[in-house]
Tab-separated table of all heavy atoms in Angstrom:
chain	number	residue	atom	x	y	z
A	25	ASP	N	-6.779	-96.582	-163.251
A	25	ASP	CA	-6.881	-96.254	-164.644
A	25	ASP	C	-6.968	-94.718	-164.858
A	25	ASP	O	-7.424	-93.989	-164.006
A	25	ASP	CB	-8.133	-96.966	-165.226
A	25	ASP	CG	-8.132	-96.984	-166.750
A	25	ASP	OD1	-7.075	-96.796	-167.340
A	25	ASP	OD2	-9.191	-97.226	-167.340
A	26	ASP	N	-6.553	-94.311	-166.072
A	26	ASP	CA	-6.664	-92.920	-166.514
A	26	ASP	C	-5.974	-91.998	-165.492
A	26	ASP	O	-6.509	-90.886	-165.171
A	26	ASP	CB	-8.086	-92.489	-166.725
A	26	ASP	CG	-8.762	-93.311	-167.804
A	26	ASP	OD1	-8.054	-93.820	-168.683
A	26	ASP	OD2	-10.028	-93.430	-167.788
A	27	PHE	N	-4.833	-92.375	-164.922
A	27	PHE	CA	-4.215	-91.616	-163.904
A	27	PHE	C	-3.827	-90.206	-164.421
A	27	PHE	O	-3.311	-90.069	-165.520
A	27	PHE	CB	-2.956	-92.290	-163.371
A	27	PHE	CG	-2.253	-91.519	-162.247
A	27	PHE	CD1	-2.816	-91.492	-160.999
A	27	PHE	CD2	-1.107	-90.816	-162.525
A	27	PHE	CE1	-2.151	-90.757	-160.008
A	27	PHE	CE2	-0.455	-90.106	-161.533
A	27	PHE	CZ	-1.030	-90.073	-160.260
A	28	GLY	N	-4.109	-89.201	-163.580
A	28	GLY	CA	-3.778	-87.821	-163.970
A	28	GLY	C	-4.980	-87.016	-164.450
A	28	GLY	O	-4.895	-85.776	-164.469
A	29	THR	N	-6.100	-87.709	-164.752
A	29	THR	CA	-7.289	-86.962	-165.241
A	29	THR	C	-8.258	-86.695	-164.067
A	29	THR	O	-9.190	-85.910	-164.273
A	29	THR	CB	-8.042	-87.801	-166.278
A	29	THR	OG1	-8.445	-89.049	-165.676
A	29	THR	CG2	-7.140	-88.087	-167.461
A	30	GLY	N	-8.007	-87.259	-162.886
A	30	GLY	CA	-8.953	-86.992	-161.767
A	30	GLY	C	-8.264	-86.228	-160.658
A	30	GLY	O	-7.447	-85.381	-160.908
A	31	TYR	N	-8.570	-86.606	-159.393
A	31	TYR	CA	-8.123	-85.857	-158.261
A	31	TYR	C	-7.501	-86.744	-157.165
A	31	TYR	O	-7.681	-86.533	-156.006
A	31	TYR	CB	-9.219	-84.982	-157.689
A	31	TYR	CG	-9.849	-84.063	-158.644
A	31	TYR	CD1	-11.015	-84.444	-159.373
A	31	TYR	CD2	-9.300	-82.811	-158.897
A	31	TYR	CE1	-11.558	-83.524	-160.279
A	31	TYR	CE2	-9.861	-81.927	-159.838
A	31	TYR	CZ	-11.017	-82.321	-160.473
A	31	TYR	OH	-11.561	-81.470	-161.429
A	32	SER	N	-6.786	-87.780	-157.613
A	32	SER	CA	-6.170	-88.671	-156.626
A	32	SER	C	-5.080	-87.919	-155.884
A	32	SER	O	-4.280	-87.184	-156.445
A	32	SER	CB	-5.537	-89.873	-157.364
A	32	SER	OG	-6.519	-90.664	-157.912
A	33	SER	N	-5.089	-88.099	-154.579
A	33	SER	CA	-4.011	-87.461	-153.770
A	33	SER	C	-2.929	-88.504	-153.531
A	33	SER	O	-3.149	-89.718	-153.623
A	33	SER	CB	-4.616	-87.025	-152.436
A	33	SER	OG	-5.027	-88.146	-151.644
A	34	LEU	N	-1.748	-87.991	-153.154
A	34	LEU	CA	-0.651	-88.873	-152.854
A	34	LEU	C	-1.016	-89.769	-151.625
A	34	LEU	O	-0.559	-90.916	-151.577
A	34	LEU	CB	0.575	-88.036	-152.535
A	34	LEU	CG	1.156	-87.222	-153.719
A	34	LEU	CD1	2.373	-86.440	-153.283
A	34	LEU	CD2	1.588	-88.156	-154.873
A	35	GLU	N	-1.784	-89.227	-150.752
A	35	GLU	CA	-2.229	-90.034	-149.571
A	35	GLU	C	-3.058	-91.243	-150.021
A	35	GLU	O	-2.845	-92.347	-149.497
A	35	GLU	CB	-3.009	-89.159	-148.638
A	35	GLU	CG	-3.432	-89.821	-147.350
A	35	GLU	CD	-2.278	-90.095	-146.411
A	35	GLU	OE1	-1.181	-89.472	-146.659
A	35	GLU	OE2	-2.427	-90.904	-145.450
A	36	GLN	N	-3.952	-91.023	-151.007
A	36	GLN	CA	-4.752	-92.145	-151.487
A	36	GLN	C	-3.895	-93.165	-152.160
A	36	GLN	O	-4.082	-94.383	-151.978
A	36	GLN	CB	-5.832	-91.611	-152.402
A	36	GLN	CG	-6.923	-90.818	-151.719
A	36	GLN	CD	-7.899	-90.185	-152.678
A	36	GLN	OE1	-7.529	-89.904	-153.818
A	36	GLN	NE2	-9.108	-89.929	-152.268
A	37	LEU	N	-2.959	-92.701	-153.005
A	37	LEU	CA	-2.072	-93.644	-153.677
A	37	LEU	C	-1.223	-94.471	-152.696
A	37	LEU	O	-0.925	-95.616	-152.928
A	37	LEU	CB	-1.199	-92.901	-154.672
A	37	LEU	CG	-1.857	-92.364	-155.952
A	37	LEU	CD1	-0.863	-91.541	-156.783
A	37	LEU	CD2	-2.395	-93.534	-156.795
A	38	ARG	N	-0.838	-93.795	-151.638
A	38	ARG	CA	0.041	-94.503	-150.669
A	38	ARG	C	-0.727	-95.457	-149.826
A	38	ARG	O	-0.274	-96.554	-149.490
A	38	ARG	CB	0.700	-93.434	-149.761
A	38	ARG	CG	1.742	-94.020	-148.805
A	38	ARG	CD	2.503	-92.950	-148.121
A	38	ARG	NE	1.625	-92.162	-147.231
A	38	ARG	CZ	1.391	-92.519	-145.949
A	38	ARG	NH1	1.918	-93.591	-145.425
A	38	ARG	NH2	0.607	-91.753	-145.255
A	39	ASN	N	-2.002	-95.142	-149.472
A	39	ASN	CA	-2.792	-95.941	-148.550
A	39	ASN	C	-3.596	-97.034	-149.277
A	39	ASN	O	-3.903	-98.098	-148.719
A	39	ASN	CB	-3.713	-95.083	-147.747
A	39	ASN	CG	-2.948	-94.229	-146.746
A	39	ASN	OD1	-1.864	-94.596	-146.344
A	39	ASN	ND2	-3.507	-93.102	-146.343
A	40	LEU	N	-4.074	-96.780	-150.500
A	40	LEU	CA	-4.874	-97.751	-151.208
A	40	LEU	C	-3.950	-98.765	-151.847
A	40	LEU	O	-2.953	-98.440	-152.449
A	40	LEU	CB	-5.733	-97.088	-152.278
A	40	LEU	CG	-6.882	-96.241	-151.700
A	40	LEU	CD1	-7.579	-95.505	-152.830
A	40	LEU	CD2	-7.870	-97.090	-150.942
A	41	PRO	N	-4.265	-100.058	-151.776
A	41	PRO	CA	-3.350	-101.125	-152.237
A	41	PRO	C	-3.428	-101.360	-153.743
A	41	PRO	O	-3.878	-102.391	-154.209
A	41	PRO	CB	-3.839	-102.318	-151.470
A	41	PRO	CG	-5.281	-102.096	-151.221
A	41	PRO	CD	-5.457	-100.619	-151.057
A	42	PHE	N	-3.030	-100.373	-154.553
A	42	PHE	CA	-2.992	-100.579	-155.969
A	42	PHE	C	-1.750	-101.414	-156.407
A	42	PHE	O	-0.712	-101.365	-155.737
A	42	PHE	CB	-2.960	-99.217	-156.704
A	42	PHE	CG	-4.236	-98.463	-156.605
A	42	PHE	CD1	-4.317	-97.293	-155.870
A	42	PHE	CD2	-5.390	-98.901	-157.252
A	42	PHE	CE1	-5.506	-96.596	-155.791
A	42	PHE	CE2	-6.556	-98.221	-157.193
A	42	PHE	CZ	-6.648	-97.021	-156.419
A	43	ASP	N	-1.887	-102.114	-157.508
A	43	ASP	CA	-0.800	-102.888	-158.044
A	43	ASP	C	-0.174	-102.216	-159.274
A	43	ASP	O	0.908	-102.636	-159.689
A	43	ASP	CB	-1.325	-104.314	-158.441
A	43	ASP	CG	-1.826	-105.055	-157.249
A	43	ASP	OD1	-1.023	-105.397	-156.398
A	43	ASP	OD2	-3.040	-105.340	-157.209
A	44	ARG	N	-0.869	-101.249	-159.874
A	44	ARG	CA	-0.346	-100.681	-161.128
A	44	ARG	C	-1.017	-99.338	-161.371
A	44	ARG	O	-2.158	-99.082	-160.912
A	44	ARG	CB	-0.616	-101.593	-162.311
A	44	ARG	CG	-0.201	-101.065	-163.644
A	44	ARG	CD	-0.356	-102.146	-164.732
A	44	ARG	NE	0.570	-103.264	-164.492
A	44	ARG	CZ	1.809	-103.289	-164.933
A	44	ARG	NH1	2.297	-102.287	-165.623
A	44	ARG	NH2	2.556	-104.355	-164.696
A	45	ILE	N	-0.298	-98.421	-162.006
A	45	ILE	CA	-0.863	-97.155	-162.487
A	45	ILE	C	-0.868	-97.143	-163.991
A	45	ILE	O	0.128	-97.479	-164.640
A	45	ILE	CB	-0.023	-95.967	-161.935
A	45	ILE	CG1	-0.138	-95.866	-160.407
A	45	ILE	CG2	-0.486	-94.659	-162.595
A	45	ILE	CD1	0.715	-94.749	-159.814
A	46	LYS	N	-1.988	-96.709	-164.540
A	46	LYS	CA	-2.039	-96.577	-165.995
A	46	LYS	C	-2.085	-95.105	-166.383
A	46	LYS	O	-2.976	-94.347	-165.890
A	46	LYS	CB	-3.342	-97.269	-166.497
A	46	LYS	CG	-3.375	-98.782	-166.233
A	46	LYS	CD	-4.509	-99.431	-167.006
A	46	LYS	CE	-4.184	-99.531	-168.463
A	46	LYS	NZ	-5.139	-100.355	-169.221
A	47	ILE	N	-1.127	-94.660	-167.166
A	47	ILE	CA	-0.978	-93.286	-167.534
A	47	ILE	C	-2.023	-92.934	-168.650
A	47	ILE	O	-2.039	-93.654	-169.685
A	47	ILE	CB	0.432	-92.952	-168.035
A	47	ILE	CG1	1.439	-93.417	-166.987
A	47	ILE	CG2	0.563	-91.458	-168.280
A	47	ILE	CD1	2.904	-93.342	-167.508
A	48	ASP	N	-2.817	-91.942	-168.466
A	48	ASP	CA	-3.873	-91.624	-169.413
A	48	ASP	C	-3.312	-91.260	-170.752
A	48	ASP	O	-2.255	-90.633	-170.905
A	48	ASP	CB	-4.718	-90.484	-168.858
A	48	ASP	CG	-5.927	-90.207	-169.741
A	48	ASP	OD1	-6.836	-91.042	-169.770
A	48	ASP	OD2	-5.940	-89.131	-170.409
A	49	ARG	N	-4.086	-91.631	-171.824
A	49	ARG	CA	-3.646	-91.409	-173.190
A	49	ARG	C	-3.428	-89.939	-173.539
A	49	ARG	O	-2.641	-89.556	-174.398
A	49	ARG	CB	-4.653	-92.015	-174.178
A	49	ARG	CG	-6.011	-91.413	-174.110
A	49	ARG	CD	-6.986	-92.096	-175.125
A	49	ARG	NE	-7.150	-93.488	-174.800
A	49	ARG	CZ	-6.692	-94.476	-175.559
A	49	ARG	NH1	-6.048	-94.206	-176.661
A	49	ARG	NH2	-6.925	-95.738	-175.223
A	50	SER	N	-4.120	-89.010	-172.825
A	50	SER	CA	-3.986	-87.585	-173.065
A	50	SER	C	-2.559	-87.134	-172.796
A	50	SER	O	-2.037	-86.245	-173.465
A	50	SER	CB	-4.960	-86.780	-172.281
A	50	SER	OG	-4.748	-86.934	-170.869
A	51	PHE	N	-1.902	-87.705	-171.814
A	51	PHE	CA	-0.503	-87.345	-171.498
A	51	PHE	C	0.457	-88.043	-172.456
A	51	PHE	O	1.490	-87.437	-172.854
A	51	PHE	CB	-0.177	-87.756	-170.013
A	51	PHE	CG	-1.010	-87.074	-169.052
A	51	PHE	CD1	-1.846	-87.774	-168.171
A	51	PHE	CD2	-1.022	-85.698	-168.906
A	51	PHE	CE1	-2.616	-87.159	-167.244
A	51	PHE	CE2	-1.762	-85.046	-167.949
A	51	PHE	CZ	-2.605	-85.777	-167.112
A	52	ILE	N	0.110	-89.275	-172.792
A	52	ILE	CA	0.993	-90.024	-173.682
A	52	ILE	C	1.066	-89.354	-175.056
A	52	ILE	O	2.125	-89.297	-175.725
A	52	ILE	CB	0.507	-91.482	-173.826
A	52	ILE	CG1	0.575	-92.189	-172.459
A	52	ILE	CG2	1.339	-92.219	-174.882
A	52	ILE	CD1	1.940	-92.251	-171.842
A	53	SER	N	-0.078	-88.825	-175.521
A	53	SER	CA	-0.115	-88.172	-176.853
A	53	SER	C	0.758	-86.964	-176.910
A	53	SER	O	1.271	-86.575	-178.013
A	53	SER	CB	-1.530	-87.799	-177.244
A	53	SER	OG	-2.025	-86.827	-176.307
A	54	GLU	N	1.055	-86.283	-175.757
A	54	GLU	CA	1.911	-85.137	-175.729
A	54	GLU	C	3.397	-85.456	-176.015
A	54	GLU	O	4.221	-84.544	-176.244
A	54	GLU	CB	1.779	-84.419	-174.413
A	54	GLU	CG	0.391	-83.787	-174.187
A	54	GLU	CD	0.286	-83.078	-172.870
A	54	GLU	OE1	1.274	-83.087	-172.118
A	54	GLU	OE2	-0.751	-82.516	-172.584
A	55	LEU	N	3.691	-86.740	-176.007
A	55	LEU	CA	5.094	-87.100	-176.267
A	55	LEU	C	5.515	-86.839	-177.716
A	55	LEU	O	6.698	-86.883	-178.039
A	55	LEU	CB	5.343	-88.587	-175.930
A	55	LEU	CG	5.184	-88.975	-174.446
A	55	LEU	CD1	5.382	-90.455	-174.251
A	55	LEU	CD2	6.281	-88.217	-173.624
């Protein structure tokens, strides 16, 4: 959740078994 607001590394995203990424509303509002 809230992807982009924290400090997730690409290594964590690759190794942790997530099923989905949720783009934080702060980025969506910039559209």
Side-chain angles (χ1 to χ4, degrees):
D25 196 16
D26 299 335
F27 180 75
T29 60
Y31 302 95
S32 294
S33 66
L34 294 177
E35 183 70 15
Q36 288 173 335
L37 287 176
R38 187 172 64 86
N39 291 334
L40 290 173
F42 289 111
D43 297 292
R44 178 173 294 274
I45 292 176
K46 299 191 72 174
I47 308 172
D48 186 68
R49 63 181 64 246
S50 62
F51 299 117
I52 299 299
S53 64
E54 293 181 358
L55 293 177

